[in-house]
Amino acid sequence: MKLSKKQFKQDFEERLASKFATNLTKAGHQETYATLASVVKHYYSSIWTADNQYRDEVGKKQAYYFSIEFLPGKLLKSNLLNLGILDTVRDGLADLGIDLDEVAKVEPDMAIGNGGLGRLASCFMDSLASTGFPANGNGIRYRYGLFKQKIIDGYQVELPDSWLDNGNPWEVRRADKAVEINFGGEVWLEDDGKGKLLPHYKNQERVLAVPYDTPMIGFENTTVNNMCLWRSEVPQDLDLKFQNLDYMRQTSMLSAELYPDDSNYDGRLLRLKQEYFFVSAGLQRILRHYKFTQKKDIRRIGDYIAVHINDTHPALCVPEFMRLLIDEYGVGWNRAWDTTVKVMSYTNHTILSEALEKWPEDMVKNLLPRLYQIIVEIDRRRTAELLPKVGATLVHNTRIIKDGQIHMANLAIIGSHSTNGVAKLHSDLLKDVELHDFYEIYPERFNNKTNGIADRRWIQISNERLSGVLDETIGKTWRHNLNDLSLLKHFKDDEKILKQLQMAKYDNKLRLAALIQERNGITVNPEAIFDVQIKRLHAYKRQLLNVLHILKLYFDLKDEPDLDVVPRVFIFGAKAAPGYHYAKSIIKCINEIANMINNDSDIDDKIKVVFLENYNVSLAEMIIPAANVGEQISLASKEASGTSNMKFMLNGALTMGTLDGANIEIFEAAGEENNFVFGLTKDEVYEYYRNGNYNARDIYEQNPIVYRILNSFIDGTIPNIKSEGREIFDSLTIYNDEYFVLRDFNDYVRAQKDLENLYRNQTAWTKASLMNIANVGRFSSDRTVREYADDIWYIKAKK
Ligand code: GFP
């Protein structure tokens, strides 16, 4: 959009006066932020309205991305950037004596997601709008986002993330578009007199779902999509028998928090309720909108909408869409089924069985009696149809209802026309191993869509320093097409440019060093290698392997204080799921090891270990630009894709990684010689599984370095970790090291040595860094969403 600085300043001052009855000299940070957001909202509102109008008139097919998590982070700067007014607003505010970066700090992170899954959803939201695709999000407006992590005495403590306390200026509550969701009660079918069976209900619990819309603004175009988030409320005309406090409390719990503790029955029930809640609300709204705007036969809806099931949480989309079509819109079963399969598509994000949801049959039957009937019928019809074609074994292995449980991944695969993995290796594993039986039956449904990242946020906003160097070196087209970063290859031997890249990195390291000083009170040397591992804390991601290597360096230095090492700062950011004891023990150990090493005067600044608490999107935006190395060290086959690996690459960090997930494609693109590859391959891991011959205890007993390191967890060397140290020691030596940490240790140490050697030669290092940046184009999520649009959703971008 076009905006002059003068106009902006006038708009800002007027809004400040009308909204808060105050002026520039008196306004506080909150008022400044709310005013700015309000002005920005005013700027985009007409684009948003016009785009909605256009879609309805043209009747364009739209996609809807159903996800239990979204992780947008802060929206202010990204909205300004995408509207093309970031610089104007920054300058205008500066004229008024306001620092945009300070104002931006006021906005709380919108953290209604947990990790890669939710962040991917938000990268997609940005890319879909920026590439002009009509595609919207659908989720839950959790009152409390993912917990805030505090580290107290080295332990993770979870505090509520009450992110809505000061309001949320970006969202629009649309009370007129509320829908009702029903749970429980009884259902029976009755003939309607014309030969049709219609459901009748008794004693159902009613909940109101109210949508809150947040605009997803495209980058310098006219597309504005919608992220619709649902809030649960009590219906105004609630039946008397439900008017009690317990009911009120339960209703508000539905949209209270992400991933309620599911270690007990009530917690699990609540989670299932949440899943149905946002699925049903989203589908009802879509169907109503279609009826209202298109006025066409409901049976043609498959030409107008695509619904995406992001992981298994929204898999109830399948039976719920069937229910709505059949019960509410009078479509026959066969037509409804064909339409459902045409509309739905599903992404699998992990092969870890803990994440493939299964619900007890009884729970589904009691909570969602009509959906249960439909699921049973889908399963019955499919079994009857397939038995003669593919035989009993394949049918049995792929049934939706098995052993008293409803298998949500099976439901999602069967009820949709596309199942994709998120990196080549992962998609192949799905086809060849994990979902092989499905692949035998529906080979045409399987495909790969390698993940990507919204490069605008991950470089233009978060790394202005590097962005500036790139602009000056290769021009600005890369800001619209990330593939143009390949122009940088021409400069790989240009010492002037290499120096500039080094200086940009150094400045970002200074910025991070200041943050570490402020938050952790640790002084780090900006000349040191900044070696970073930031991601959810999970055993398969192997933060522990990183820790073992740190301990090796530490002991080496203790034994030989004059050892010539390149100073390193090891940086961690990670939240552990509140009920995941082992992961929390690892956090405790990292913090105790950090204390031990950071305060050891023998070590000085040769090694520093920093655990930054409350890792979130905003913190990632500070850390990644400053990283020299990104640790991507999961056991091969376990990390479906990874996306922080792509963010590091974009910011010129080298990857220390296994041949897992998208690392493989990163190495292909940027060259193994420009990164550090180590560890077992996927085939070697599966070979161990087949032969059952991995013996971690042997490694512990036979490798003196491993022996010493592991003993330090239990012999008091590392203070204050009596029980945690024992837990970790046992997991490796007694419970046979599920993720082959010890097996990969030696090769990891070797690769770390290579890394250190390369870093000694700054020119060679920076060349490798440049080659990573120059080859990152394909990891833009603009590319990924185009593939989804072309191959799965069949939607077209606005010209
Ligand atoms: C999951 C997978 C990752 C993958 C993301 C997005 O992330 O490998 O990159 O989904 O597809 F594990 P987490 O939620 O586990 O971080």
Side-chain angles (χ1 to χ4, degrees):
M1 65 172 283
K2 285 217 174 344
L3 177 72
S4 71
K5 190 163 81 168
K6 186 164 164 245
Q7 181 67 49
F8 165 70
K9 286 185 344 196
Q10 189 184 332
D11 293 342
F12 182 82
E13 285 200 78
E14 279 175 16
R15 189 63 53 97
L16 185 63
S18 65
K19 205 173 158 60
F20 290 109
T22 186
N23 59 33
L24 284 170
T25 48
K26 298 203 188 99
H29 282 331
Q30 282 292 346
E31 289 166 333
T32 311
Y33 165 67
T35 303
L36 183 57
S38 165
V39 171
V40 175
K41 191 169 185 175
H42 175 70
Y43 293 154
Y44 64 63
S45 58
S46 53
I47 315 176
W48 195 8
T49 316
D51 196 25
N52 277 332
Q53 183 77 17
Y54 160 80
R55 285 175 202 198
D56 291 346
E57 280 168 16
V58 178
K60 269 186 107 93
K61 183 172 183 184
Q62 303 201 43
Y64 296 86
Y65 197 82
F66 279 50
S67 180
I68 202 152
E69 297 184 26
F70 287 95
L71 212 42
K74 298 185 198 294
L75 291 177
L76 175 63
K77 279 196 197 168
S78 127
N79 285 346
L80 291 172
L81 179 86
N82 289 0
L83 288 169
I85 58 173
L86 181 58
D87 292 338
T88 313
V89 166
R90 189 193 294 280
D91 290 353
L93 287 174
D95 285 0
L96 302 174
I98 299 167
D99 179 351
L100 174 64
D101 293 331
E102 288 303 313
V103 183
K105 283 188 192 151
V106 173
E107 179 175 0
D109 261 44
M110 193 175 186
I112 51 175
N114 182 12
L117 174 86
R119 183 51 228 173
L120 183 78
S122 287
C123 281
F124 281 8
M125 286 295 110
D126 182 282
S127 279
L128 286 163
S130 295
T131 45
F133 286 109
N136 313 287
N138 187 71
I140 299 176
R141 180 181 177 275
Y142 303 101
R143 173 68 186 84
Y144 297 96
L146 187 66
F147 66 88
K148 274 204 172 121
Q149 181 193 55
K150 276 231 106 26
I151 300 296
I152 299 180
D153 292 337
Y155 291 105
Q156 165 176 299
V157 174
E158 298 104 31
L159 301 177
D161 171 38
S162 190
W163 67 292
L164 287 164
D165 286 353
N166 290 310
N168 172 7
W170 311 115
E171 67 185 11
V172 180
R173 176 183 165 93
R174 300 214 190 270
D176 293 331
K177 297 214 155 57
V179 297
E180 220 174 87
I181 314 294
N182 297 303
F183 294 105
E186 289 164 41
V187 59
W188 67 98
L189 300 175
E190 270 180 26
D191 199 311
D192 68 348
K194 297 178 213 135
K196 240 194 176 148
L197 287 176
L198 286 184
H200 290 260
Y201 298 92
K202 207 167 80 182
N203 290 337
Q204 286 205 298
E205 194 184 301
R206 299 160 55 213
V207 173
L208 196 69
V210 182
Y212 284 70
D213 290 350
T214 304
M216 298 286 112
I217 301 168
F219 179 53
E220 296 184 357
N221 64 17
T222 58
T223 297
V224 180
N225 291 326
N226 181 23
M227 176 170 66
C228 167
L229 302 175
W230 297 90
R231 175 173 194 240
S232 60
E233 294 181 12
V234 176
Q236 291 201 332
D237 59 337
L238 188 67
D239 337 14
L240 278 177
K241 68 167 168 277
F242 284 121
Q243 293 201 14
N244 57 59
L245 277 177
D246 194 38
Y247 174 77
M248 309 282 163
R249 195 177 50 82
Q250 280 191 26
T251 302
S252 64
M253 289 287 282
L254 272 181
S255 57
E257 61 167 324
L258 168 73
Y259 296 142
D261 178 7
D262 63 351
S263 55
N264 56 44
Y265 184 88
D266 284 349
R268 283 174 61 71
L269 184 67
L270 178 58
R271 217 183 253 210
L272 179 61
K273 265 181 138 170
Q274 286 186 325
E275 294 183 359
Y276 181 64
F277 170 75
F278 88 100
V279 157
S280 176
L283 292 176
Q284 288 189 55
R285 184 173 181 193
I286 293 168
L287 280 158
R288 278 188 200 177
H289 184 79
Y290 171 77
K291 261 314 240 195
F292 184 70
T293 57
Q294 297 309 317
K295 310 206 165 41
K296 298 210 175 77
D297 186 343
I298 193 75
R299 286 173 304 176
R300 290 189 52 199
I301 192 164
D303 297 333
Y304 292 86
I305 65 159
V307 171
H308 201 76
I309 299 172
N310 188 36
D311 224 20
T312 52
H313 321 104
L316 288 173
C317 275
V318 172
E320 176 64 1
F321 198 57
M322 287 292 285
R323 182 187 76 80
L324 289 165
L325 289 180
I326 295 171
D327 294 354
E328 308 277 325
Y329 289 87
V331 180
W333 181 280
N334 288 335
R335 181 68 190 224
W337 181 246
D338 291 347
T339 308
T340 300
V341 173
K342 178 173 175 177
V343 163
M344 300 294 159
S345 47
Y346 158 64
T347 298
N348 173 289
H349 291 269
T350 181
I351 59 167
L352 263 72
S353 58
E354 68 190 34
L356 293 177
E357 290 178 298
K358 298 170 198 72
W359 297 107
E361 233 182 307
D362 277 351
M363 193 188 266
V364 177
K365 193 174 180 177
N366 293 333
L367 185 70
L368 308 165
R370 179 64 182 135
L371 249 61
Y372 178 73
Q373 291 178 340
I374 291 174
I375 294 171
V376 169
E377 185 60 10
I378 294 172
D379 197 47
R380 188 190 69 75
R381 288 186 186 227
R382 175 178 176 274
T383 305
E385 189 199 320
L386 282 185
L387 258 183
K389 293 188 192 153
V390 304
T393 313
L394 272 190
V395 170
H396 172 80
N397 291 350
T398 56
R399 281 188 68 162
I400 302 169
I401 308 177
K402 246 193 317 187
D403 314 322
Q405 297 198 299
I406 314 266
H407 294 246
M408 302 301 267
N410 301 10
L411 178 63
I413 298 166
I414 289 165
S416 63
H417 65 278
S418 167
T419 291
N420 74 282
V422 291
K424 272 187 205 141
L425 179 84
H426 169 59
S427 296
D428 286 344
L429 269 173
L430 293 182
K431 282 198 296 197
D432 300 341
V433 188
E434 305 296 331
L435 300 175
H436 184 68
D437 290 330
F438 285 99
Y439 180 64
E440 293 256 300
I441 304 175
Y442 316 108
E444 73 294 345
R445 293 189 184 181
F446 283 78
N447 62 91
N448 174 54
K449 296 284 167 282
T450 298
N451 283 165
I453 55 168
D455 42 281
R456 288 159 290 278
R457 176 173 296 269
W458 294 108
I459 180 167
Q460 293 195 44
I461 295 173
S462 61
N463 197 345
E464 291 183 2
R465 192 64 182 77
L466 176 59
S467 299
V469 173
L470 295 174
D471 287 348
E472 279 164 30
T473 312
I474 55 170
K476 292 189 174 183
T477 57
W478 66 272
R479 287 176 180 261
H480 285 269
N481 178 0
L482 204 66
N483 288 316
D484 283 356
L485 285 179
S486 63
L487 294 168
L488 204 56
K489 285 181 202 157
H490 300 301
F491 298 88
K492 76 175 188 335
D493 298 312
D494 185 325
E495 284 189 15
K496 197 177 115 235
I497 301 304
L498 294 179
K499 227 16 307 121
Q500 286 181 8
L501 290 173
Q502 281 167 21
M503 276 155 54
K505 181 63 78 186
Y506 189 77
D507 287 349
N508 289 326
K509 287 168 80 172
L510 284 178
R511 185 176 73 155
L512 181 60
L515 185 88
I516 291 172
Q517 183 77 59
E518 180 193 317
R519 294 213 182 162
N520 293 41
I522 302 171
T523 309
V524 298
N525 172 4
E527 306 281 346
I529 305 174
F530 278 26
D531 184 333
V532 179
Q533 188 169 19
I534 42 175
K535 48 186 80 247
R536 280 192 306 128
L537 212 139
H538 197 291
Y540 87 80
K541 297 183 190 268
R542 300 201 297 190
Q543 280 91 352
L544 194 52
L545 181 57
N546 193 345
V547 170
L548 298 190
H549 170 248
I550 296 172
L551 287 169
K552 169 167 191 311
L553 286 185
Y554 176 64
F555 293 137
D556 286 351
L557 276 168
K558 290 298 275 185
D559 292 348
E560 215 180 313
D562 294 332
L563 203 66
D564 177 25
V565 297
V566 181
R568 281 227 214 183
V569 181
F570 292 97
I571 298 166
F572 292 88
K575 288 182 181 174
Y580 189 0
H581 195 271
Y582 185 70
K584 291 173 132 177
S585 295
I586 293 178
I587 291 183
K588 168 72 172 164
C589 289
I590 294 175
N591 283 309
E592 291 300 339
I593 290 168
N595 278 338
M596 173 178 81
I597 297 180
N598 297 342
N599 297 317
D600 187 332
S601 54
D602 292 352
I603 301 300
D604 201 14
D605 70 354
K606 287 183 192 135
I607 312 175
K608 287 278 182 248
V609 182
V610 177
F611 187 98
L612 281 162
E613 70 183 5
N614 201 33
Y615 176 60
N616 61 11
V617 172
S618 293
L619 194 53
E621 288 174 31
M622 290 288 287
I623 297 173
I624 294 169
N628 297 116
V629 182
E631 297 278 342
Q632 311 296 341
I633 57 178
S634 52
L635 174 66
S637 78
K638 296 296 182 238
E639 188 69 272
S641 163
T643 45
S644 75
N645 43 8
M646 302 166 185
K647 294 164 199 163
F648 282 107
M649 183 186 187
L650 173 61
N651 284 273
L654 276 55
T655 293
M656 165 62 66
T658 46
L659 289 167
D660 199 14
N663 293 352
I664 296 177
E665 289 158 72
I666 288 177
F667 299 147
E668 249 166 49
E672 284 201 14
E673 68 284 7
N674 296 314
N675 290 288
F676 307 96
V677 186
F678 75 97
L680 292 173
T681 62
K682 171 232 30 154
D683 288 338
E684 289 167 339
V685 172
Y686 275 80
E687 190 64 23
Y688 273 119
Y689 290 157
R690 247 191 311 279
N691 300 331
N693 60 348
Y694 179 52
N695 191 337
R697 184 92 201 175
D698 280 356
I699 302 180
Y700 164 68
E701 281 167 0
Q702 287 159 22
N703 181 332
I705 300 172
V706 170
Y707 187 77
R708 176 172 182 194
I709 295 172
L710 293 199
N711 286 350
S712 72
F713 282 81
I714 50 167
D715 64 9
T717 307
I718 308 166
N720 308 323
I721 55 160
K722 202 160 186 303
S723 66
E724 296 82 12
R726 170 58 66 181
E727 187 182 356
I728 288 166
F729 179 87
D730 287 354
S731 75
L732 298 174
T733 59
I734 297 182
Y735 300 107
N736 206 26
D737 180 16
E738 186 177 0
Y739 297 106
F740 298 80
V741 172
L742 301 188
R743 175 66 181 77
D744 273 349
F745 178 75
N746 272 350
D747 203 26
Y748 184 55
V749 170
R750 189 268 313 149
Q752 287 285 8
K753 200 79 208 142
D754 293 348
L755 185 158
E756 184 182 34
N757 288 335
L758 187 68
Y759 197 82
R760 289 177 195 274
N761 178 344
Q762 275 296 292
T763 308
W765 180 278
T766 314
K767 247 186 227 182
S769 162
L770 177 147
M771 290 305 281
N772 275 281
I773 303 172
N775 288 297
V776 78
R778 71 164 88 157
F779 301 107
S780 164
S781 48
D782 293 3
R783 186 267 310 149
T784 317
V785 300
R786 282 195 184 100
E787 292 177 4
Y788 276 83
D790 293 347
D791 306 343
I792 299 180
W793 302 330
Y794 307 114
I795 55 169
K796 294 252 172 316
K798 205 176 190 178
K799 287 279 171 298

